[in-house]
Amino acid sequence: MNKKKLIAGNWKMNGSLAANESLVKALAQGVGAPACDVAVCVPAPYLAQVQALVSGTPIALGAQDVSQHEQGAYTGEQSAAMLREFGVRYAIVGHSERRQYHGESDELVAAKTAAALKHGVTPIVCVGETLAEREGGHTEEVVKRQLAAVIHVNGHCISEIVVAYEPVWAIGTGKTATPEQAQAVHALLRAQLHHAASDHAAGIRILYGGSMNAANAAQLLAQPDIDGGLIGGASLKAPDFLQIIAAAR
């Protein structure tokens, strides 16, 4: 199935009004007519600013989280409907940092996925194992459990999600899974998606999210089941991010 790759930048808790303007303008100027889909997932206070900056460009807007709730007494949360009002196309769900620092469970991630889908926001559902889990031989068990929770709650809507495999041991550490290691997990996730939604599995994009950078992007993106990247640090540097985008053909 012919599907465009997706390169999504995750700015994490970085940025300022001045830095954001400089970065997005450089990206818009350098991106041209990309062969892949491109998005930047920005901190909530900057959604309105970046919405204006990406208007008229091929760059889509993404959020870094979404509430599982529709509305109500949930201080500090942003609903999917609110995100949609700001033109948000993607929302990262279940990032390892949210799982680790905020105690997000597989069930909560599944509920957030459902909330995003209900309002036309594409969830980028993150799965991945820690170093201890990998060394203990539990990679397959962990990622399948995390994805199974999302499949269980979202059923046939699963065809609308994006999955991101982010080995926790390779995030911000400079370590990267080898293309072969990454492909093996992506193939596993593809098989699980095929079992759940056989008609649509080939069209579901599975991104790699473990320290993809300008130097290793082409090799990772050449793997048959790697359909793009969820980019951390390199997405804050326009030349690096543009080089990754150029590698996604």
Side-chain angles (χ1 to χ4, degrees):
M1 184 174 181
N2 182 29
K3 60 178 181 284
K4 279 188 174 182
K5 288 184 165 64
L6 168 62
I7 301 297
N10 175 14
W11 291 5
K12 305 194 179 185
M13 199 173 71
N14 294 292
S16 68
L17 290 171
N20 301 347
E21 184 172 7
S22 175
L23 174 58
V24 176
K25 284 186 172 177
L27 293 175
Q29 189 174 2
V31 75
C36 64
D37 290 332
V38 179
V40 288
C41 299
V42 310
Y46 297 128
L47 286 170
Q49 180 204 17
V50 178
Q51 179 190 20
L53 288 169
V54 300
S55 178
T57 78
I59 303 168
L61 182 62
Q64 296 178 8
D65 189 25
V66 61
S67 176
Q68 73 273 32
H69 302 292
E70 287 286 314
Q71 61 181 34
Y74 303 105
T75 301
E77 297 286 301
Q78 296 91 39
S79 72
M82 293 173 183
L83 297 179
R84 268 309 277 182
E85 285 204 303
F86 285 87
V88 169
R89 175 76 178 81
Y90 298 96
I92 299 172
V93 178
H95 191 280
S96 62
E97 289 156 5
R98 300 289 311 176
R99 293 178 189 262
Q100 180 180 351
Y101 303 134
H102 299 273
E104 293 197 359
S105 65
D106 295 343
E107 292 71 27
L108 178 58
V109 173
K112 289 185 172 193
T113 299
L117 288 169
K118 181 178 177 182
H119 291 280
V121 175
T122 299
I124 301 176
V125 179
C126 298
V127 301
E129 81 283 16
T130 64
L131 183 59
E133 287 166 340
R134 172 164 278 272
E135 290 181 340
H138 300 300
T139 295
E140 180 173 337
E141 171 193 337
V142 170
V143 299
K144 286 181 77 172
R145 185 200 77 226
Q146 291 171 336
L147 185 55
V150 173
I151 292 170
H152 175 70
V153 169
N154 293 280
H156 65 277
C157 295
I158 204 75
S159 61
E160 303 300 318
I161 74 170
V162 172
V163 177
Y165 169 54
E166 39 156 27
V168 181
W169 51 272
I171 299 173
T173 61
K175 295 179 181 177
T176 314
T178 65
E180 294 76 21
Q181 285 174 320
Q183 166 58 25
V185 178
H186 280 238
L188 178 79
L189 295 169
R190 179 86 63 209
Q192 187 176 3
L193 290 166
H194 183 77
H195 184 72
S198 56
D199 294 343
H200 305 287
I204 299 172
R205 295 186 285 195
I206 308 176
L207 314 183
Y208 176 71
S211 296
M212 184 183 284
N213 56 47
N216 63 29
Q219 201 177 5
L220 285 161
L221 291 166
Q223 301 302 309
D225 287 300
I226 297 183
D227 305 314
L230 181 59
I231 316 300
S235 71
L236 298 169
K237 304 168 188 170
D240 291 24
F241 196 50
L242 289 168
Q243 196 169 331
I244 295 168
I245 291 166
R249 301 195 172 280

